[in-house]
Amino acid sequence: MAEESIDENGSSSSSSSSKGKKKKTKFGMMMSSVGRSAKQGMSRAGKQMAKGVVKTKQLAVEKIAKIPISQEDPEVISALERLKITKNEIYAISDIVRNLYEARLNEATFLIQLADKLKDTKITQNDPFGLYIQKMGIAMTSLESIQSEHLKRMEEELVLPLEKFRDIDIEQVQKLKLKYKNCKTQYDVACHKLTKAQDSQDQNKIQQAQQKKDAVAANLQQLRNDIKFQVNNLEQKKQVNLLGCMEQYWTSYASFAQAQSNVLSKNTIQKESYIQPQQQQQQQQQQNNDD
């Protein structure tokens, strides 16, 4: 692809490169994007399976052992609700942004082909159509270079930051949530076993059950603290880091729109009049008589 830097006036400076290289680079961007999407789809499937295992384990414990569920910390409930909202929002936005980016990559490929075809139009005598579309092709080439630069910025400032926040930051807290849910189940089981030991009045069983419950309770409390801390930390990253990327992209988008507008204003095309053959012959004859 021709490397071009775009200023806010829509002007560009280009280093020499062939059309074939430009198309290859655009194709490479598309293939890289497709591969990344497939990898993400497989990763999500694995995460869903992990969540399903934890949920199935909880349901099995509740159904088979009829273990009563202990009350949850209200602050943890609030933290998990905020995590769910953030997760659903970012996953939805990220998916739409990725689809939009890939659609624009595809559009850019056809824009290159169309611009090249229009520029190569052969102009004949009395051919306002050919003249018009040839000038369209020249303008489209400038628009394509601006769009190409914008796509780079879109990937760097919008697509990748959203996916990084989703796949690393959110999923890190999601893993902690699954670990917490599993520990909570273990705690409820330990409480149930302690109750059964107390019913048996076997002091040895009671002591062992109490020690098990205390150990699990300490681990559960630590996970509760970690959940609240990590959810707050996630919110801070969203409100500071991710918001900064969104702001940066919106500034780039405004520059992109302005650059497009400048190119169009500088490439206003005036349609020439078509002269019908009979009228053209009369004009040519009149010119010959004048000569």
Side-chain angles (χ1 to χ4, degrees):
M1 178 169 23
E3 295 295 334
E4 303 189 357
S5 58
I6 310 300
D7 58 24
E8 294 186 355
N9 294 323
S11 60
S12 62
S13 59
S14 168
S15 61
S16 60
S17 59
S18 65
K19 297 178 184 176
K21 185 177 180 181
K22 178 183 288 186
K23 293 178 182 178
K24 182 178 179 180
T25 304
K26 190 76 67 177
F27 177 76
M29 291 172 68
M30 290 181 65
M31 292 305 295
S32 176
S33 179
V34 170
R36 190 181 297 113
S37 296
K39 184 177 180 180
Q40 289 167 355
M42 294 175 65
S43 177
R44 288 192 194 181
K47 293 168 188 172
Q48 288 300 115
M49 288 180 64
K51 294 175 186 177
V53 169
V54 172
K55 188 172 183 181
T56 301
K57 184 186 294 184
Q58 289 176 316
L59 292 174
V61 169
E62 295 171 15
K63 185 175 181 180
I64 297 174
K66 297 182 179 179
I67 295 174
I69 305 302
S70 59
Q71 289 187 346
E72 187 50 272
D73 182 348
E75 292 183 1
V76 172
I77 294 176
S78 176
L80 293 179
E81 184 61 28
R82 284 188 289 136
L83 173 62
K84 180 179 179 180
I85 293 172
T86 297
K87 174 196 166 188
N88 290 342
E89 286 180 345
I90 297 301
Y91 264 75
I93 294 171
S94 179
D95 285 345
I96 294 171
V97 166
R98 167 59 66 177
N99 290 336
L100 177 62
Y101 172 71
E102 292 179 354
R104 285 182 174 175
L105 275 179
N106 192 46
E107 177 190 4
T109 301
F110 288 109
L111 182 61
I112 293 172
Q113 295 175 6
L114 179 59
D116 291 344
K117 184 63 178 177
L118 294 180
K119 283 192 304 180
D120 293 341
T121 300
K122 294 182 180 180
I123 309 299
T124 59
Q125 187 178 10
N126 188 29
D127 186 12
F129 175 81
L131 288 170
Y132 196 94
I133 64 172
Q134 188 181 71
K135 292 177 181 178
M136 280 178 58
I138 295 172
M140 283 183 175
T141 299
S142 297
L143 290 172
E144 188 280 324
S145 65
I146 294 171
Q147 186 181 48
S148 179
E149 180 65 25
H150 171 65
L151 286 173
K152 292 179 185 177
R153 294 176 182 174
M154 181 179 183
E155 183 179 35
E156 294 171 0
E157 299 168 0
L158 186 66
V159 180
L160 295 182
L162 279 167
E163 292 180 350
K164 180 181 178 182
F165 183 74
R166 179 195 68 192
D167 296 337
I168 297 178
D169 297 313
I170 291 180
E171 286 307 316
Q172 181 180 5
V173 186
Q174 280 290 115
K175 288 178 181 178
L176 181 61
K177 171 189 168 183
L178 293 178
K179 188 176 181 181
Y180 161 76
K181 292 285 188 181
N182 190 46
C183 186
K184 176 66 166 52
T185 300
Q186 293 175 9
Y187 174 75
D188 291 337
V189 171
C191 289
H192 181 65
K193 287 184 177 180
L194 176 58
T195 300
K196 290 180 67 177
Q198 290 171 342
D199 291 342
S200 71
Q201 297 183 349
D202 185 326
Q203 293 302 316
N204 187 38
K205 289 183 178 180
I206 292 174
Q207 185 179 5
Q208 290 180 354
Q210 185 66 54
Q211 290 175 349
K212 177 65 176 179
K213 176 190 172 184
D214 291 344
V216 177
N219 190 25
L220 180 62
Q221 186 57 47
Q222 182 60 52
L223 287 171
R224 282 172 173 159
N225 294 336
D226 290 345
I227 281 283
K228 290 183 281 188
F229 174 80
Q230 291 298 339
V231 170
N232 287 336
N233 188 47
L234 183 70
E235 184 68 15
Q236 181 178 349
K237 287 182 179 179
K238 183 178 76 172
Q239 298 296 343
V240 178
N241 300 346
L242 189 59
L243 176 58
C245 293
M246 301 292 281
E247 181 183 26
Q248 188 177 10
Y249 170 72
W250 193 243
T251 300
S252 297
Y253 188 82
S255 299
F256 163 65
Q258 184 62 53
Q260 279 191 315
S261 177
N262 292 338
V263 167
L264 292 172
S265 64
K266 289 179 180 180
N267 288 272
T268 302
I269 305 174
Q270 296 294 332
K271 182 183 70 173
E272 297 189 12
S273 300
Y274 172 67
I275 303 174
Q276 297 183 8
Q278 185 176 3
Q279 183 180 358
Q280 188 178 20
Q281 291 177 1
Q282 292 175 352
Q283 289 181 351
Q284 184 65 40
Q285 185 178 2
Q286 181 64 39
Q287 184 179 358
N288 291 337
N289 292 337
D290 293 340
D291 293 341

